[in-house]
């Protein structure tokens, strides 16, 4: 059985991957209290003693509207990555979850392709940390960078992440709120697990891939789907008129590798997610939802 080390196993993506891939592989996902990825010697000892077939690196430090960027974000993200990547002698290959933020979100072209990378250097600390790691991965064929755009699903931060936020708001009897309508490329986390499984079991031709659906969704349309799935008629508020900057990717490189890949239809994915929030409604604190979506 393939032995997998998943970092960030208690986070949104890591937790979903551990659940989805359990049974298919031998999964190891120590908590940060058990293994601090910023501790160089501890990481080296752990990797050399376990000799994993695959390292799946999901752990990251990031910010959102509620949580500002920590002053050491660049140091944290780069240190975690390099403490793993520099020990490539101790594992078979490493799958690294990068971000479209590596391209720099300022004036990002719609359906951006991988060839756009390094056209400019990201101006924010999170994007720059991902950019630095992506540059290193380019020269190491046993490292593959899966660039994520928008991923949604259970366990994400429902107080700030849009689709989950919309579900939680409707369940709490609140309106769905958009700061502004934008076109965004959203990938269901279960589809990400399927994609990750392919990269675990196969040797890709490239070292970086846009991991996205290749189509954009207007946030207003997603809000309408949530409303329809709920069976209620929540108010949908848009605070700023007009359309914001599009955030979508060209996934043709990935689809060439995985031509049989089929994405879960958006309505079905939102139905599943909404049902999960209904089952876990006691965990939703409406007081944390009384701000923009």
């Amino acid at each position: 059985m393939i032995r997998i080390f998943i970092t960030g196993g208690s986070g949104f993506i890591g937790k979903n991957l551990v659940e989805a891939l359990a049974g298919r592989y031998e999964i190891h996902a120590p908590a940060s209290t058990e293994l601090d990825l910023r501790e160089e010697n501890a990481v080296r000892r752990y990797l050399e003693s376990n000799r994993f077939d695959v390292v799946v690196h999901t752990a990251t430090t990031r910010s959102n509207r509620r949580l500002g960027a920590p002053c050491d974000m660049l140091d944290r993200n780069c240190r975690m990555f390099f403490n793993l990547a520099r020990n490539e002698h101790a594992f078979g290959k490493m799958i690294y979850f990068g971000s479209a933020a590596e391209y720099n979100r300022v004036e990002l072209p719609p359906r951006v392709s991988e060839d756009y990378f390094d056209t400019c250097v990201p101006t924010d600390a999170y994007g720059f940390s991902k950019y630095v790691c992506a540059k290193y991965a380019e020269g190491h064929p046993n490292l593959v960078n899966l660039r994520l755009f928008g991923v949604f699903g259970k366990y994400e931060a429902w107080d700030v992440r849009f689709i989950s936020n919309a579900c939680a708001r409707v369940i709490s009897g609140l309106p769905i709120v958009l700061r502004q309508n934008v076109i965004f490329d959203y990938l269901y986390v279960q589809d990400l697990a399927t994609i990750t499984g392919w990269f675990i079991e196969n040797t890709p031709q490239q070292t970086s891939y846009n991991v996205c659906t290749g189509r954009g969704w207007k946030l207003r349309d997603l809000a309408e789907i949530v409303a329809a799935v709920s069976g209620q008629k929540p108010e949908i508020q848009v605070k700023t008129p007009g359309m914001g900057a599009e955030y979508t990717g060209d996934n043709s490189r990935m689809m060439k590798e995985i031509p049989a890949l089929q994405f879960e239809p958006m309505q079905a994915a939102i139905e599943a997610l909404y049902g999960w929030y209904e089952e876990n409604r006691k965990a939703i604190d409406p007081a944390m939802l009384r701000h923009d979506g």
Side-chain angles (χ1 to χ4, degrees), residues 190-223:
Q190 296 303 314
D191 290 330
L192 177 60
T194 299
I195 293 166
T196 303
W198 187 92
F199 279 96
I200 286 171
E201 297 180 8
N202 294 274
T203 301
Q205 299 299 307
Q206 307 287 338
T207 57
S208 66
Y209 294 83
N210 286 342
V211 175
C212 55
T213 64
R215 68 159 294 180
W217 286 89
K218 292 180 180 178
L219 295 192
R220 175 72 194 224
D221 291 342
L222 294 175

Side-chain angles (χ1 to χ4, degrees), residues 156-186:
E156 70 176 335
W158 47 264
D159 57 328
V160 292
R161 301 297 294 273
F162 177 70
I163 297 178
S164 284
N165 183 271
C167 292
R169 281 176 169 275
V170 175
I171 288 171
S172 301
L174 296 170
I176 299 174
V177 180
L178 290 69
R179 288 188 298 168
Q180 188 176 24
N181 197 13
V182 301
I183 297 175
F184 211 94
D185 194 329
Y186 273 109

Side-chain angles (χ1 to χ4, degrees), residues 28-44:
H28 297 254
S32 58
T33 53
E34 301 172 278
L35 178 64
D36 187 343
L37 296 178
R38 296 172 297 172
E39 294 294 331
E40 178 182 0
N41 293 332
V43 173
R44 184 181 66 254

